[in-house]
Amino acid sequence: MEIPTKYNPVESEDKWYKYWMDKGFFHSVPDEREPYTIVIPPPNVTGVLHMGHMLNNTIQDVLVRRARLQGKNVCWVPGTDHASIATEAKVVNKLKQEGIAKTDITREEFMKHAWEWKEKHGGIILEQLKKLGASCDWERTSFTMDESLYESVIDVFIDLYKKDKIYRGVRMVNWDPAAQTAVSDEEVIYKELQSKLYYLRYKIEGSDDEYVTIATTRPETILGDSAVCVNPKDERFTHLKGKRCIVPLVNRSIPIIQDEYVDMEFGTGALKITPAHDIHDYEIGDKHNLETIDIFNDNGTMSEAAQLYIGKDRFEVRDLIVPDLEQAGNLVKIEDYVNKVGFSERTDAVIEPKLSMQWFMKMKELAAPALEHVMNDEIQLHPAKFKNTYRHWMENVKDWCISRQLWWGQRIPVFYLPEGGYVVAKTVAEAVVEAKAKTGKEYKAEDLRQEEDVLDTWFSSWLWPISVFDGIRNPENEEIKYYYPSNDLVSGPDILFFWIARMVMSGYEYRGEKPFSNVYLTGIVRDAQRRKMSKSLGNSPDPLDLIAKYGADGVRVGMLLCSPAGGDLLFDEGLPEQGRNFTTKIWNAFRLVKGWEVADIDQPEAARLATEVFHARLNSTMEQLEEQFKQYRISEALMTVYTLFRDEFSSWYLEMVKPAYQQPIDKKTFEATVGLFEKLMQLLHPFMPFLTEEIWHLLADRKEEESIMISVMPKPEAYDAALLEKFEQVKEVIVAVRNIRKQKNIAFKDALAMNYRLKDDNYDTAFDSVIAKMCNLNEISVANGEMSGAMSFIVKAVEYFIPLGDLVDVEEELKKMEEELKYTKGFLISVQKKMSNERFVNNAPAKVVEMEKKKMADAEAKIKVLEDRIASMK
């Protein structure tokens, strides 16, 4: 068949993805094979493909495709997260555009709208992943609100409540006034802002003109002050011990208390205490039994408790209160100040610390095994540097606020009784039974009121590796026993604690073992200025546009070429372009091989040697690849295969075996070349699935179902390392001869002769046929006598001569050799210094010491040859 001049990625990608799907190659069912499992970090249903997803899912696809080629039963479970806050915000906005307020409809009506939105938009990102080539088992696509996963979450809540690990209480939480819900510490983004520091004076009660001055960035919160606090060691305030002062504007009398928490150097050394609106103030208030005055409504407006500015937004009040304080004589001064302010990750609203009745989960006991098994490397983090971050978080773990004031999510299975108190049950029917057992009274379903709050999104996704196999509801089912624990998890370090660590906790709590063996932590995709790529900055290309322009394989290669584990990827369009150029190089090499005419003729010696050498190189590289994958050096693994094909196969092997112009190639070499090409496609397939599948089917006459995806990855075999070392010397000789041709402008069609001078019989003629072919030499022989009129070079103490007659400039040759002699002597001194260092010789691996000895011997031999040659030329 005629092979197109250019590879068409668009046509190839659509064709082969459909083929893989139609053949069911991605689907897995338990069998006798070794399982290999990955669960996808479920993207939010609100999301679309971005550069971080591209990197993360490319790495996952590389791992699963390689595992398939190794004969494992691969199960890559895809799915999406319901993303409580983000999705609810989308639905509320959609309703708003239709003239409907959330408060005007019932919960049931809202949920209907939410499900409609999810069905319409929720699968977009998964469809986009298919364009990338992601070989997920799409038949297993899961969603955190699917019935089985929903029930699993409820079952776990009930179980943990019964184990006394879940409780209800008033605590200080991060409150998002826009979404009107609590959010976790991990969902708060801190930004450095140019702010103001307001110095305010509070009159000392019972005095005429005595004041205590405090400094605050939030003057509106003085309306909730319960005390002023000073450090007991601060001599400036000793006279105020036991006294009280008056809160400006509202004229409330509050105590002046002492606590060593106060930083004497900050501001004035006196701190206003607002227990309802600052976590540290809350702790001091709790310690000193202070009154808690909540001055904010859930939407960030002033409550009745504030007494002033009721119903106005908190930031509007800041503008209003400052002139009022000035007029009242309480404003001392205002200074510019830089501080960090917390913003909600989901709505970008400024977070308000707020006391709120919430549901909490005790974490200390759950965290203990999760910490132990990461520290002892039963679960390995790649790179290991993240172990310290993990340990810090886990050793300082706090109780988890698991309730959210939303409707979209798993509704907390708590039912309140008419006379107070509550029961925890899966259904209202079960709750009626529980209520009777608790109180002895008969209740109807309508007598009980279910908790309005839903559970934090992470409370469902922490069960993901178990719940996708229904291991919570049916802990002994065949699938959970076969696929769990999974092998690898690929994720970003930004969710190391609030997703990865929690999955580890749930794994040990509900399966008694780890959820995965390895965690590969990717870096962040950044632009050339090291800024994180984001829509708001406008510095992030659309991944689908990149795929359309460079092909999925080109983009995959580009993303992986510079993405070390845990290291940020500095992205520019030169990377996928480089990937596309590599695709073109492979295609051109394939067309070259398929374009040869094959004849039943003898195999040339050069071709036989080339095949032998490349087999050794291939096995050496596969050995290296196994080590790199074992260490999760995915970027290095790609570069290893990239270099093997581009340099060793395309630039050396094909040059050594290709027949002369318009001449046929022998059948034996052709078949060997096709066999090597196939092995290279198998090594490249995890990185470049589409191109390799295309070439796989065109290289040989294969049946339709014989996909490269399910072929058997070649395993490294024993190889002759000495042969490879010898060939590296041969390469040096070939490059040196080619350089002489280039310097003297001698065309390749003009044959040359080459002579060599033996030193201790260390010249090997085995590769002469290769050198002659690659350099177009008509003679290779021993040099007799002086070689005047020849250009020379030295490789491993063997001196080579290319007779050129009058073309040789003796003075220029002498100058070059003297420069080379000077460099080699300098190199020898540096190696001798190293070898005279006893610490190096005694502590370095024997292999390294041996290598240095060899370098020294080679340099000494080369110096001798150069000195002799210079003397004879002079």
Side-chain angles (χ1 to χ4, degrees), residues 415-443:
F415 296 84
Y416 296 100
L417 308 180
E419 67 274 23
Y422 58 85
V423 292
V424 175
K426 196 167 185 176
T427 64
V428 68
E430 290 178 20
V432 166
V433 175
E434 288 283 336
K436 184 181 179 181
K438 184 172 184 176
T439 66
K441 296 179 183 177
E442 293 284 349
Y443 294 93

Side-chain angles (χ1 to χ4, degrees), residues 41-42 44 81-84 144 153 183-184 186-187 345-346 400-402 404 410 455-464 491 494-500 502-503 506:
N44 292 350
D81 188 284
H82 64 280
S84 292
T144 49
V153 169
V183 296
S184 65
E186 295 77 25
E187 291 166 307
E345 184 183 38
R346 299 298 176 200
W400 176 9
C401 175
I402 57 174
R404 296 291 181 268
Q410 291 91 358
L455 287 157
D456 178 15
T457 296
W458 300 103
F459 197 86
S460 55
S461 54
W462 81 314
L463 304 174
W464 186 250
S491 185
D494 52 329
I495 53 174
L496 179 57
F497 175 70
F498 65 116
W499 186 48
I500 297 169
R502 286 171 179 166
M503 284 191 288
S506 71

Side-chain angles (χ1 to χ4, degrees), residues 214-411:
I214 60 94
T216 180
T217 57
R218 306 185 67 204
E220 67 277 12
T221 61
I222 69 167
L223 305 176
D225 283 357
S226 295
V228 166
C229 189
V230 295
N231 195 305
K233 295 175 183 174
D234 197 332
E235 293 178 1
R236 293 173 295 176
F237 303 110
T238 308
H239 65 289
L240 295 179
K241 186 177 180 182
K243 293 189 176 182
R244 298 174 72 85
C245 59
I246 307 296
V247 178
L249 302 183
V250 290
N251 299 317
R252 184 170 57 252
S253 171
I254 57 173
I256 297 171
I257 61 172
Q258 295 183 325
D259 197 288
E260 289 190 2
Y261 166 77
V262 177
D263 180 358
M264 291 188 286
E265 302 301 317
F266 175 77
T268 65
L271 189 71
K272 74 184 206 66
I273 305 299
T274 318
H277 302 295
D278 181 276
I279 183 62
H280 302 297
D281 289 10
Y282 172 72
E283 288 167 358
I284 290 174
D286 190 47
K287 182 176 172 183
H288 294 270
N289 199 26
L290 298 176
E291 183 184 4
T292 300
I293 306 164
D294 187 349
I295 62 168
F296 292 125
N297 295 315
D298 288 351
N299 63 357
T301 58
M302 306 306 282
S303 70
E304 295 280 346
Q307 299 182 52
L308 302 173
Y309 317 107
I310 297 163
K312 293 187 184 298
D313 182 77
R314 54 193 169 145
F315 295 116
E316 183 188 354
V317 172
R318 183 173 301 176
D319 294 333
L320 294 171
I321 200 171
V322 173
D324 288 350
L325 286 164
E326 187 174 18
Q327 191 176 348
N330 295 105
L331 180 64
V332 178
K333 63 177 177 176
I334 304 172
E335 291 179 348
D336 288 331
Y337 185 68
V338 176
N339 67 334
K340 285 189 175 178
V341 177
F343 287 77
S344 169
E345 184 183 38
R346 299 298 176 200
T347 65
D348 204 38
V350 174
I351 288 296
E352 192 61 61
K354 183 176 170 66
L355 281 176
S356 180
M357 179 67 79
Q358 301 285 346
W359 289 93
F360 293 87
M361 188 167 118
K362 297 175 185 176
M363 297 291 278
K364 203 163 186 179
E365 281 181 35
L366 287 165
L371 174 60
E372 177 193 347
H373 293 291
V374 168
M375 289 301 107
N376 67 17
D377 286 334
E378 183 177 344
I379 298 170
Q380 292 194 0
L381 303 185
H382 305 275
K385 67 179 182 180
F386 285 107
K387 282 174 72 174
N388 286 334
T389 308
Y390 183 91
R391 183 178 64 225
H392 174 75
W393 278 336
M394 299 300 269
E395 285 177 347
N396 296 282
V397 71
K398 294 175 184 172
D399 287 358
W400 176 9
C401 175
I402 57 174
S403 48
R404 296 291 181 268
Q405 289 64 56
L406 302 164
W407 283 349
W408 176 246
Q410 291 91 358
R411 194 171 178 181

Side-chain angles (χ1 to χ4, degrees), residues 590-604 657-660 662-675 699:
F590 161 65
R591 286 183 66 244
L592 173 73
V593 172
K594 288 296 280 186
W596 287 335
E597 181 190 338
V598 184
D600 202 359
I601 55 177
D602 290 340
Q603 183 182 38
V657 301
K658 79 176 181 184
Q662 291 190 334
Q663 296 298 308
I665 191 168
D666 69 280
K667 191 178 178 184
K668 192 171 184 180
T669 302
F670 178 76
E671 288 174 351
T673 303
V674 169
L699 265 173

Side-chain angles (χ1 to χ4, degrees), residues 21-237:
M21 291 285 282
D22 290 347
K23 295 291 179 187
F25 290 144
F26 301 159
H27 185 51
S28 171
V29 291
D31 60 24
E32 71 288 345
R33 289 176 295 168
E34 177 189 346
Y36 177 86
T37 315
I38 281 189
V39 294
I40 203 169
N44 292 350
V45 283
T46 56
V48 291
L49 196 63
H50 61 61
M51 299 300 284
H53 292 134
M54 289 271 281
L55 175 62
N56 184 295
N57 287 282
T58 295
I59 292 167
Q60 288 179 82
D61 199 45
V62 167
L63 294 172
V64 300
R65 286 183 182 273
R66 188 167 188 271
R68 274 195 205 96
L69 287 166
Q70 292 173 322
K72 295 172 185 173
N73 187 355
V74 171
C75 182
W76 181 11
V77 182
T80 47
D81 188 284
H82 64 280
S84 292
I85 298 174
T87 306
E88 185 145 326
K90 294 273 187 187
V91 178
V92 167
N93 189 50
K94 170 190 167 284
L95 291 172
K96 191 177 179 183
Q97 289 171 2
E98 295 169 8
I100 304 168
K102 179 187 170 185
T103 51
D104 294 341
I105 59 176
T106 65
R107 186 185 195 114
E108 289 68 29
E109 287 169 328
F110 179 84
M111 290 299 284
K112 188 181 173 189
H113 284 288
W115 277 107
E116 283 173 2
W117 189 93
K118 183 264 174 188
E119 293 307 317
K120 187 175 179 181
H121 302 281
I124 291 173
I125 193 166
L126 298 183
E127 289 304 310
Q128 291 175 326
L129 285 176
K130 293 176 183 178
K131 287 287 183 189
L132 185 65
S135 56
C136 303
D137 186 346
W138 298 109
E139 294 177 47
R140 292 180 175 276
T141 302
S142 294
F143 175 52
T144 49
M145 290 267 282
D146 284 343
E147 186 181 351
S148 63
L149 280 78
Y150 191 113
E151 282 189 16
S152 298
V153 169
I154 301 305
D155 286 350
V156 164
F157 180 96
I158 295 168
D159 176 65
L160 290 172
Y161 177 79
K162 287 177 178 175
K163 290 174 177 172
D164 194 32
K165 284 187 167 60
I166 285 179
Y167 63 92
R168 187 171 182 250
V170 175
R171 295 287 186 279
M172 181 70 72
V173 296
N174 301 303
W175 187 261
D176 179 340
Q180 294 190 40
T181 181
V183 296
S184 65
D185 289 347
E186 295 77 25
E187 291 166 307
V188 178
I189 308 297
Y190 287 92
K191 302 176 189 178
E192 215 167 67
L193 299 182
Q194 291 291 333
S195 300
K196 302 285 184 187
L197 192 61
Y198 301 88
Y199 287 80
L200 308 176
R201 62 180 193 168
Y202 292 36
K203 193 173 185 181
I204 303 299
E205 190 176 43
S207 73
D208 290 330
D209 58 354
E210 191 179 1
Y211 294 86
V212 60
T213 301
I214 60 94
T216 180
T217 57
R218 306 185 67 204
E220 67 277 12
T221 61
I222 69 167
L223 305 176
D225 283 357
S226 295
V228 166
C229 189
V230 295
N231 195 305
K233 295 175 183 174
D234 197 332
E235 293 178 1
R236 293 173 295 176
F237 303 110

